[in-house]
Amino acid sequence: MLLDAGQHVVGIAAEEDEAVRMALIHRPDVILLDLRLAKGGCGRRVAERLAGEVDVSIIFASGNLTPVMRERLAALSPAGMLGKPYGPDQLIGAIHELA
């Protein structure tokens, strides 16, 4: 969806250490961060590790954005939160809101 919208994607990380490493190397403007990473890691921990290290906007994506989870994530000052499933309009809209 991002490539189709003309966005530059630096990569996809399946685990916490990889996500942190990619953010530190590439210094992206935006990170779309799933709360449950493919290899069992936690997107919230990635955001916590990056806080103060990288000036980046984080958009959390999850199928579990309950009011309690939204409150926990709000403490990390995310740029946005997308509930799954989401479509191209919601994703690109969230990114464009940052501009």
Side-chain angles (χ1 to χ4, degrees):
M1 285 188 271
L2 292 170
L3 293 173
D4 288 343
Q7 300 294 317
H8 176 72
V9 177
V10 299
I12 299 172
E15 57 191 16
E16 290 177 33
D17 288 342
E18 182 183 18
V20 170
R21 185 173 47 257
M22 287 175 65
L24 293 173
I25 290 170
H26 297 287
R27 305 288 177 159
D29 295 325
V30 179
I31 296 175
L32 179 61
L33 192 53
D34 200 321
L35 289 180
R36 187 178 305 160
L37 301 178
K39 292 191 177 176
C42 176
R44 185 173 50 90
R45 284 196 301 263
V46 171
E48 289 169 347
R49 290 173 62 184
L50 290 175
E53 295 288 325
V54 180
D55 184 22
V56 62
S57 296
I58 294 177
I59 298 173
F60 286 109
S62 176
N64 186 31
L65 287 177
T66 64
V68 171
M69 181 57 71
R70 285 181 181 275
E71 186 176 322
R72 287 181 187 160
L73 295 175
L76 297 170
S77 301
M81 297 184 213
L82 290 172
K84 290 182 180 179
Y86 55 84
D89 291 341
Q90 291 101 344
L91 176 58
I92 302 308
I95 291 173
H96 285 177
E97 286 180 17
L98 301 174

